[in-house]
Structure formats: C-alpha cells, structure tokens
Amino acid sequence: MATPTQFKALVVEKTNDGQFVRKIKERSIDDLPQGDLVVRVSYSSLNYKDALSATGHPGVTRQFPHTPGIDAVGEVLSCESGVFAAGDTVVITGYDLGMETDGGWGELIRIPSSWAVRLPDGLTQAEAMALGTAGFTAALSVLKLERAGVIPSDGDVLVTGATGGVGAIAVAILARAGYRVVASTGKSADEQFLRNLGAAEIIPRDQVLTGSERPMMKERWAGCVDVVGGDTLVAVVKSTRYGGAVTCCGLVGSTELPVNVYPFILRGVSLIGIDSVKCPTDIRLQVWEKLAGEWKPAQLQEMVTGVTLDGLEEKIAAILKGEISGRVVVRMMA
C-alpha cells in the first residue's frame, strides 16, 4: 500500500500573544521529521505528559506547531532500514515520540525504527494502547520489584496514586501476579473500581503519611510502586520492611526527596528509579511479552474510556485536574 501524502492530526500552535490553541488539521507527510520508519497509527492514548505538551508546557515540548501523543500502535507502511516489513504491527512508547517529535495524535508518524517493537501475540492494538506508557511503566516497576527479591509471601505491596493510569494497571498486574495489593488514593469514590482491579485493601493517601515526621516509621510494606513522589515517597521508604524495595516513577507530589539514610542503612531498603523513556530494547520486549501474557490485566477494558481526536479537548482539561481514572484510548482511524 502506498504511503499517503496527507493525513489528519491534532496540532498545537502557539499564537503571537503566547497562547496555545489546538486544532484538528490536514497535514503533509513532508511536515514530519526524518526517520526510517513510517507507521499508520490506529490508536494512541492520553497521558499526563500529553496534556502538558498540548498546553505548551516547556518541560515537555518547546517547538510548535506540534502533534502530541507519546504512545502509538499501528501498521508499518515503510521501513527503509529493513528492520520491519510493510504490514507489520508495531507499538511505540517512550523515546522522543510526542515530545519534540510529532506523535500519535496524528494518523501518520515517522520515527527511527529503533523506537518501535513488534506488537506481541496476545494483545490487540486497542489493548496495547489501553496499556501504553502507563502500562509499560507499571509492568517495568513490577519487574524491578521482582528482581529486587520482593515475592508475594513477603507481605503487602502498596500502590500510591492508584486510580491513575500507572497506578491502576500496577494494581491489576500485582494482583494477577499473586501479591496482596494495598491501594492508596485520594478518591474514595473509586474504591469499587480498585477492588475490581484486584486491590485487597484501599486506604486514604493521608494514612500513608501518618507518622512520617519521624526518622523511621513502623514497618508495613514488603514493596511499593510509587507514582506520586515527594512526601508520599518519603513516607513509603520510611515504612518499608527490612529488605524491601520501592520503585519510583512519579513527581506529582514533588521533585524533592527529603529523606534520611536510616531506612537504607538500617533496613536495607532499596529505592529503584523507573525510566520508561529510554528503556533498552531487550527489556522493553520482555515487558511487552509479560503484558501480553501472564500479566495482562483481566479487567483491562474496565479501565478504558475511548475517544476520537474530537473528544480530546475535554479529556485534556480533566487529566490536568486529576479527574481521570484509568486510561483514555484515542481511536485514530475511522
């Protein structure tokens, strides 16, 4: 199939007075950056980072006009390097997609082939984007906990920010893997949502912080997937059991980490940073295979709200206000 020369995309533009406006426009393939791989996008998703890009946050995107979308899945139209063949289905998360490189909110993307991996058997394209960067990050966090030696019989594993994209999928994966999951959230109305995902216990986020002014807290958690950062991460580290591990992938609480060394040198707690952007290809493939197999959330569709490009404006505002639970999948092709 010949590569089309025109396609539809959501484009963010910066006005002369410094405002950012979003329009669905026809674009030319010549507008796309250089790359050896051209993909016809079937689905993308909405992440917090996408919302920041769509509203002109300079920490994500500086060059406009721009098409956000840090996740994409679709059909290979051409691949000059020969890594993929026309007709292959690939999934792309991370690297620079949707940041300074035009992303998945366009019907075509052109990228380096090293950014893509084949969609594994066991996942549909829509399911891949129901997972997306959030699911990949959640699964990478669980993989790192496992490799740090945290096993289900060790005790409770905490997930903070549990109603968000990463948190919700982490709850589902951990439950699927046999862990007793405690979900922390500020949204009491979502308790049934979290129980449906497999959470054995739901606690208010303030409970995680109780006693955190002390140098050490009572040992509670065998491990934790933290997506909040700041004071929440400090409290989790202080309350993790001897030999436990905490993964860190979020900063909505704060970018600062004012914690003493006692949990590390007296309890042997491990703090593990999670970077899904530049994750090596071999690990990336392992994670996607896990998500397509033993870690595939049974309740995946329950987490998903589907939209088209036309419906993104409302969802962008909602995710910036913390009003989205689960995942928003963007259907690109009619």
Side-chain angles (χ1 to χ4, degrees), residues 286-309:
Q286 290 177 40
V287 171
W288 278 111
E289 290 290 346
K290 288 270 196 180
L291 286 169
E294 60 190 289
W295 285 357
K296 183 178 179 179
Q299 315 86 348
L300 190 56
Q301 291 309 311
E302 296 177 22
M303 303 182 204
V304 173
T305 300
V307 299
T308 61
L309 287 181

Side-chain angles (χ1 to χ4, degrees), residues 1-315:
M1 180 182 294
T3 300
T5 58
Q6 300 291 317
F7 65 98
K8 185 170 68 173
L10 188 148
V11 179
V12 184
E13 298 177 318
K14 186 176 183 179
T15 64
N16 291 334
D17 60 355
Q19 301 300 306
F20 293 91
V21 295
R22 292 167 291 279
K23 300 177 182 177
I24 298 172
K25 303 179 68 172
E26 286 288 325
R27 299 195 70 191
S28 167
I29 193 170
D30 293 335
D31 297 332
L32 293 176
Q34 293 302 305
D36 62 297
L37 179 65
V38 179
V39 177
R40 184 197 301 274
V41 179
S42 302
Y43 296 91
S44 185
S45 67
L46 169 63
N47 301 276
Y48 189 75
K49 188 181 287 187
D50 295 317
L52 293 178
S53 176
T55 52
H57 193 291
V60 179
T61 304
R62 294 180 179 273
Q63 302 297 319
F64 297 91
H66 174 68
T67 294
I70 65 171
D71 296 337
V73 65
E75 177 189 359
V76 171
L77 295 181
S78 64
C79 182
E80 295 175 1
S81 66
V83 173
F84 301 104
D88 285 349
T89 302
V90 294
V91 58
I92 307 99
T93 61
Y95 299 99
D96 190 53
L97 186 72
M99 297 177 67
E100 297 294 358
T101 301
D102 289 315
W105 294 1
E107 292 175 337
L108 296 182
I109 56 174
R110 184 161 56 193
I111 57 172
S113 57
S114 59
W115 292 6
V117 297
R118 283 183 176 82
L119 183 68
D121 294 338
L123 281 178
T124 67
Q125 293 188 50
E127 288 172 336
M129 288 297 95
L131 294 163
T133 288
F136 181 84
T137 303
L140 184 59
S141 299
V142 176
L143 183 68
K144 296 288 188 176
L145 284 182
E146 282 193 345
R147 291 183 174 180
V150 179
I151 59 177
S153 60
D154 288 340
D156 292 351
V157 173
L158 176 68
V159 177
T160 64
T163 58
V166 176
I169 298 173
V171 168
I173 291 172
L174 286 163
R176 185 81 185 267
Y179 293 86
R180 185 180 188 275
V181 185
V182 178
S184 167
T185 179
K187 300 177 182 178
S188 58
D190 285 332
E191 179 169 338
Q192 192 56 53
F193 168 73
L194 291 168
R195 290 200 181 278
N196 291 343
L197 296 180
E201 184 180 348
I202 293 92
I203 62 175
R205 59 189 175 196
D206 291 347
Q207 187 173 323
V208 176
L209 299 171
T210 302
S212 60
E213 70 281 358
R214 299 194 296 268
M216 296 267 273
M217 296 165 64
K218 182 179 179 180
E219 294 179 66
R220 174 75 197 272
W221 318 114
C224 175
V225 174
D226 176 64
V227 303
V228 177
D231 291 342
T232 296
L233 179 55
V234 170
V236 169
V237 168
K238 289 181 178 182
S239 54
T240 295
R241 294 179 179 179
Y242 187 90
V246 178
T247 65
C248 166
C249 66
L251 47 70
V252 66
S254 173
T255 59
E256 301 300 319
L257 189 64
V259 64
N260 62 68
V261 299
Y262 293 141
F264 306 112
I265 64 175
L266 297 181
R267 291 181 182 164
V269 172
S270 298
L271 178 59
I272 305 168
I274 301 298
D275 170 44
S276 62
V277 174
K278 295 183 179 180
C279 179
T281 298
D282 59 338
I283 298 177
R284 194 175 290 273
L285 287 168
Q286 290 177 40
V287 171
W288 278 111
E289 290 290 346
K290 288 270 196 180
L291 286 169
E294 60 190 289
W295 285 357
K296 183 178 179 179
Q299 315 86 348
L300 190 56
Q301 291 309 311
E302 296 177 22
M303 303 182 204
V304 173
T305 300
V307 299
T308 61
L309 287 181
D310 297 313
L312 271 173
E313 192 68 27
E314 176 186 349
K315 298 301 181 183

